[in-house]
Amino acid sequence: MVNQKSRIVLALGGNALQANPKDTRAEAQIVTAAQTAKPIVDLIEGGHELILAHGNGPQVGQIVGTYESAAAGNPSLPVMPFPECGAMSQGYIGYHLQQAVRQEMVNRGNHKSVATIVTQVVVDEKDEAFKNPTKPVGSFFTEEEAKVLEKEKGYTMKEDAGRGWRRVVASPIPVDVVEAPVVKTLVEAGHVVITVGGGGVPVVNRNGSLEGIPAVIDKDFASEKIAEILDADFLIILTAVEQVAINFNTPQQKNLDRITIEEAKKYIEEGHFAPGSMLPKVKAALKFVESKPGRRALITSLEKAKEGIEGKTGTIIVA
């Protein structure tokens, strides 16, 4: 159970922004954000300092795809660089969330301010992830088109599950959050802050200058990093399931209520968590709990967030 007046980083999964993954309209996201705001404001009303983080996979892919489609019809149009597309997604998702959270608070007589910080996240240029880009983004292309893009733009293109060829980018581990001091100042002043959206815009430090690079930082690891920097008490990762499970989707499935660091590491070694799904969530939660004595992490669904916060469900990871 979350202690009274804790500092909490809340990492929102894709279902917190898009109830139907196939419906990527801005109007649909506004509707979903209004529902997402309710459990968020429950926490705020509990007296907690809240920092919100979120993913941006479908949204940034849609932005990239729109520019690619436009350029395909008119080659004179420039394609927006990938870091700028990530910043765009942070802005418009943050806009929807801050509107929804603010309105829900106003409905309850609370007049805290909500602010979105377009956040840059530093990564190591020598991260092994850059040697093997795996994160697909943007539109589908034919093999012939993909080869032209590789030659002309230097993209890395890979075939995606028989559906066509797509650009892939690296997914490096976050090292630092550039705007963390700004976020901390706002939180300590009593404001609700939305940060590291989509994992943040990845940047590398080259001779003192920050340069955006085409990559996607996992939002769970970015959430963990900002939680560490801000000395949060609790990291809560919201996902599509109520609890973490071992032997998932088999007759031997076992849902986990409370696990220790040692148990979590054992389950990871045994391969219980899918690499593109639950594994990064468990690893991020584990990293946060290990970072300082007394820190805890919770993984649960958006629908069960309030009960998870009360210690009635979800999977809590403790030292």
Side-chain angles (χ1 to χ4, degrees):
M1 184 174 179
V2 180
N3 295 327
Q4 286 299 309
K5 297 185 178 179
S6 295
R7 180 171 292 178
I8 300 170
V9 171
L10 190 68
L12 302 170
N15 62 326
L17 297 169
Q18 294 180 333
N20 180 358
K22 295 182 179 180
D23 190 351
T24 58
R25 294 175 303 123
E27 294 83 357
Q29 183 168 288
I30 290 172
V31 173
T32 305
Q35 296 303 312
T36 297
K38 297 180 188 302
I40 291 172
V41 177
D42 286 343
L43 272 178
I44 295 169
E45 286 194 326
H48 305 295
E49 292 181 334
L50 207 64
I51 301 99
L52 302 177
H54 60 80
N56 72 341
Q59 295 87 351
V60 73
Q62 185 180 33
I63 293 169
V64 172
T66 298
Y67 276 103
E68 288 173 342
S69 297
N74 184 354
S76 66
L77 291 175
V79 174
M80 187 66 66
F82 191 78
E84 280 74 2
C85 292
M88 287 181 180
S89 71
Q90 279 197 63
Y92 101 78
I93 294 170
Y95 160 61
H96 286 171
L97 281 173
Q98 68 188 41
Q99 271 206 333
V101 172
R102 176 190 175 277
Q103 188 59 53
E104 183 65 24
M105 287 195 297
V106 168
N107 292 346
R108 304 188 194 189
N110 187 322
H111 296 280
K112 280 180 179 286
S113 296
V114 189
T116 297
I117 303 296
V118 176
T119 314
Q120 302 173 93
V121 176
V122 180
V123 298
D124 184 350
E125 204 164 4
K126 296 179 181 179
D127 192 303
E128 289 294 316
F130 289 109
K131 296 180 181 179
N132 181 33
T134 57
K135 189 75 173 178
V137 295
S139 307
F140 289 92
F141 297 92
T142 65
E143 184 174 0
E144 183 179 355
E145 291 170 331
K147 292 185 181 302
V148 171
L149 288 169
E150 285 184 323
K151 182 178 180 181
E152 293 185 352
K153 296 187 178 294
Y155 291 175
T156 300
M157 307 292 291
K158 290 186 179 180
E159 203 279 327
D160 187 355
R163 297 178 295 175
W165 289 69
R166 297 178 78 186
R167 181 185 181 186
V168 291
V169 296
S171 186
I173 296 297
V175 174
D176 197 8
V177 179
V178 178
E179 289 76 20
V182 180
V183 175
K184 185 176 182 181
T185 297
L186 290 171
V187 171
E188 291 181 346
H191 307 295
V192 180
V193 184
I194 302 164
T195 185
V196 296
V201 178
V203 296
V204 293
N205 193 325
R206 292 174 178 162
N207 300 318
S209 296
L210 297 176
E211 295 184 25
I213 55 170
V216 174
I217 300 170
D218 186 285
K219 60 95 178 164
D220 296 316
F221 287 116
S223 301
E224 191 283 328
K225 178 55 66 176
I226 193 68
E228 271 195 49
I229 295 171
L230 297 179
D231 195 22
D233 303 297
F234 220 102
L235 172 65
I236 300 177
I237 299 176
L238 300 181
T239 184
V241 294
E242 184 175 340
Q243 291 181 305
V244 179
I246 56 173
N247 299 311
F248 182 69
N249 211 21
T250 72
Q252 290 75 41
Q253 178 172 325
K254 178 186 176 184
N255 291 348
L256 305 172
D257 300 313
R258 181 183 180 95
I259 54 175
T260 64
I261 289 172
E262 290 73 20
E263 289 170 330
K265 289 181 176 179
K266 175 175 175 287
Y267 294 142
I268 289 171
E269 290 174 4
E270 291 174 351
H272 284 285
F273 310 126
S277 179
M278 189 57 72
L279 183 60
K281 298 177 189 347
V282 174
K283 281 187 171 181
L286 182 59
K287 188 173 187 297
F288 179 69
V289 173
E290 284 187 302
S291 66
K292 183 179 178 180
R295 289 177 174 170
R296 292 178 293 168
L298 170 71
I299 302 175
T300 192
S301 67
L302 176 64
E303 295 78 14
K304 294 290 184 178
K306 188 173 185 297
E307 293 177 45
I309 288 161
E310 294 170 350
K312 297 177 181 176
T313 188
T315 300
I316 189 167
I317 300 176
V318 297

